[in-house]
Amino acid sequence: MGDLIEEWATQVAEAELSSTLPRRWAHTQGVANRAVEVSQVLGQDAGLLLAAATLHDVGYAPRLAATGFHPLDGARFLRDDHGADERLVRLVANHSFALLEAEERGLREELSGEFPLLEEPLLVDALVYCDMTTTPDGGRTTAEERVAEILGRYGDDSVVGRFIRRAAPEIFAAVGRVEATLAAQPR
């Protein structure tokens, strides 16, 4: 994997998001920028992280929203319409602790049955880091500010609000692990 998957991911995400959901596209570009920043700790998986970062929210595209749960809709689109790499599809399906939100939506068995979690902790954490340190407009933020922003946007009692409160400790831990890994890199 390398430049080709990254170019393909950008073309797909831009085609699905840029005109229909420009703010989501801005967030996606910011998440991809974070992926470039952390790529040095991933070695041969740097391109896979960048592709996953670029495609993580493609399931929000209105024409793809079959279940209304973007990780599942996006992963199915990538698998069924594009025959995408299995690891990429599983990263998109499970990004940022999506299994906890799937549970809130009654979709846990569906998500975990079709797209099992990847047993690659650094890669999974890196995608969480990229997503949860990027604002909806693509800027840089802290995980704490991002969780607060999501709660403010959706409300405490919404499905997303309940999910993000449950996921917050896991999000903060994943971001902390990536930050520690980055800090340990020689400069």
Side-chain angles (χ1 to χ4, degrees):
M1 277 194 236
D3 293 345
L4 288 178
I5 193 170
E6 295 163 20
E7 284 179 32
W8 167 80
T10 301
Q11 290 170 354
V12 170
E14 185 173 13
E16 296 299 336
L17 298 173
S18 65
S19 62
T20 57
L21 298 170
R23 191 173 191 213
R24 185 68 55 189
W25 175 234
H27 168 72
T28 295
Q29 292 173 295
V31 174
N33 290 338
R34 297 297 93 64
V36 170
E37 293 167 15
V38 301
S39 64
Q40 78 271 14
V41 300
L42 289 169
Q44 66 184 22
D45 286 334
L48 177 59
L49 174 65
L50 183 53
T54 303
L55 291 164
H56 80 285
D57 277 353
V58 74
Y60 276 115
R63 76 177 196 90
L64 305 179
T67 68
F69 182 46
H70 78 277
L72 185 57
D73 293 336
R76 285 177 172 166
F77 164 70
L78 294 170
R79 178 193 64 200
D80 300 343
D81 291 19
H82 290 281
D85 176 83
E86 181 191 358
R87 290 169 69 217
L88 171 62
V89 172
R90 288 169 62 186
L91 279 167
V92 168
N94 290 289
H95 76 272
S96 299
F97 302 99
L99 204 54
L100 293 175
E101 185 174 346
E103 198 170 279
E104 290 287 334
R105 295 175 178 272
L107 295 169
R108 184 183 175 98
E109 280 70 35
E110 207 167 332
L111 182 66
S112 64
E114 280 185 61
F115 306 105
L117 287 171
L118 269 186
E119 297 297 326
E120 299 180 54
L122 182 57
L123 188 56
V124 171
D125 282 354
L127 185 54
V128 172
Y129 171 88
C130 295
D131 187 20
M132 295 313 231
T133 61
T134 304
T135 68
D137 297 311
R140 187 181 303 278
T141 191
T142 66
E144 292 77 11
E145 289 169 342
R146 178 84 162 112
V147 166
E149 181 277 320
I150 292 168
L151 273 171
R153 188 163 22 121
Y154 288 94
D156 276 351
D157 293 329
S158 68
V159 167
V160 174
R162 289 190 307 271
F163 148 69
I164 205 70
R165 282 197 326 272
R166 284 180 61 202
E170 299 293 336
I171 290 167
F172 301 151
V175 168
R177 288 188 296 268
V178 172
E179 289 172 343
T181 302
L182 290 169
Q185 288 296 294
R187 297 231 182 271

